């Protein structure tokens, strides 16, 4: 993967004690999300589980939304690491078409898993341009390796767009489409852009 990918991990350095508190709060938030879900998560519960005062939550993250955004950021870093150095086909080592198909399924499932957190983070997360930059550049790189012609910047953005949470909510939650059908549709779209035979479509 090219070194110029805009990784989320490239953030400012913070003091050791502040870093410990931040890690403890993120771990506590992750555990509570797993236990009670995003909707019922409170800053008081996170602070108590982390063994710090409630004020520490606001000093570190500014708000409940900021805490949710930081947790999202942490999970996004893990997902990006799987693209950069994880096992194939999502990670390096597989042919570019296989990596592109694996990217679509993985990104869709990642967004489905994180949808409640994304919505809870609200404008604090918003249109995270570092995230969009990473995924778009990754897709653009794979399209280039596949010798796709045309405006690769636009095509990569167009392929990433259907994997956004609002689109998936409309298709799956409101529209009743299965996850498998959406993935198959995305694979078909990719095949048409790349001008290769479409993977087997499922209903």
């Amino acid at each position: 993967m090219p070194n110029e990918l805009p990784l989320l991990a490239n953030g400012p350095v913070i003091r050791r004690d502040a870093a410990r508190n931040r890690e403890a709060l993120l771990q506590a938030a992750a555990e509570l999300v797993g236990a009670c879900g995003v909707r019922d998560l409170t800053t008081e519960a996170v602070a108590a589980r982390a063994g710090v005062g409630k004020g520490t939550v606001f000093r570190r993250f500014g708000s409940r939304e900021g805490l949710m955004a930081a947790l999202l950021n942490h999970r996004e870093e893990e997902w990006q690491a799987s693209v950069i150095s994880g096992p194939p086909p999502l990670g390096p080592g597989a042919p570019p078409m296989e990596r592109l198909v694996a990217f679509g399924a993985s990104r869709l499932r990642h967004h489905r898993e994180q949808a409640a957190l994304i919505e809870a983070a609200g404008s604090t997360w918003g249109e995270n341009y570092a995230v969009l930059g990473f995924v778009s550049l990754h897709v653009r790189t794979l399209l280039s390796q596949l010798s796709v012609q045309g405006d690769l910047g636009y095509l990569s953005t167009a392929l990433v767009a259907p994997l956004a949470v609002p689109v998936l909510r409309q298709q799956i939650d409101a529209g009743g489409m299965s996850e498998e059908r959406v993935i198959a549709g995305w694979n078909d779209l990719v095949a048409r852009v790349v001008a290769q035979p479409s993977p087997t479509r499922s209903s």
Side-chain angles (χ1 to χ4, degrees):
M1 181 59 57
N3 292 330
E4 67 269 19
L5 283 174
L7 298 177
L8 284 176
N10 297 333
V13 177
I14 57 178
R15 297 192 323 271
R16 184 173 299 176
D17 59 337
R20 282 197 299 268
N21 284 341
R22 186 178 189 278
E23 188 61 32
L25 287 165
L26 288 175
Q27 180 64 32
E31 292 171 356
L32 288 169
V33 166
C36 66
V38 174
R39 184 184 301 273
D40 296 326
L41 185 73
T42 66
T43 53
E44 291 87 350
V46 172
R49 192 177 188 93
V52 301
K54 181 180 175 181
T56 303
V57 178
F58 292 97
R59 285 194 295 273
R60 294 275 67 83
F61 305 108
S63 64
R64 180 181 185 274
E65 291 76 16
L67 174 61
M68 298 298 96
L71 185 55
L72 274 170
N73 192 80
H74 180 69
R75 293 181 176 180
E76 183 68 25
E77 287 173 5
E78 293 179 334
W79 183 85
Q80 288 183 6
S82 68
V83 173
I84 294 170
S85 57
L90 181 60
M97 187 62 177
E98 290 184 21
R99 293 198 70 193
L100 191 53
V101 168
F103 160 83
S106 177
R107 193 64 187 167
L108 180 150
R109 288 170 178 142
H110 178 72
H111 268 171
R112 291 269 288 159
E113 291 167 1
Q114 309 307 326
L117 268 178
I118 291 171
E119 291 162 353
S123 60
T124 308
W125 179 256
E127 292 296 330
N128 193 307
Y129 294 110
V131 172
L132 292 174
F134 179 91
V135 295
S136 296
L137 184 54
H138 177 59
V139 171
R140 179 174 181 170
T141 300
L142 294 176
L143 292 178
S144 178
Q145 292 172 359
L146 287 162
S147 301
V148 173
Q149 302 300 306
D151 187 337
L152 298 189
Y154 186 87
L155 288 174
S156 62
T157 302
L159 287 175
V160 167
L163 303 174
V165 170
V167 178
L168 298 176
R169 288 282 202 203
Q170 192 281 325
Q171 291 177 330
I172 298 175
D173 298 337
M177 295 175 68
S178 68
E179 187 175 282
E180 292 74 18
R181 181 181 173 189
V182 175
I183 291 173
W186 194 84
N187 290 346
D188 183 55
L189 175 62
V190 168
R192 292 170 188 271
V193 170
V194 177
Q196 291 190 8
S198 172
T200 302
R201 187 183 181 94
S202 60
S203 57

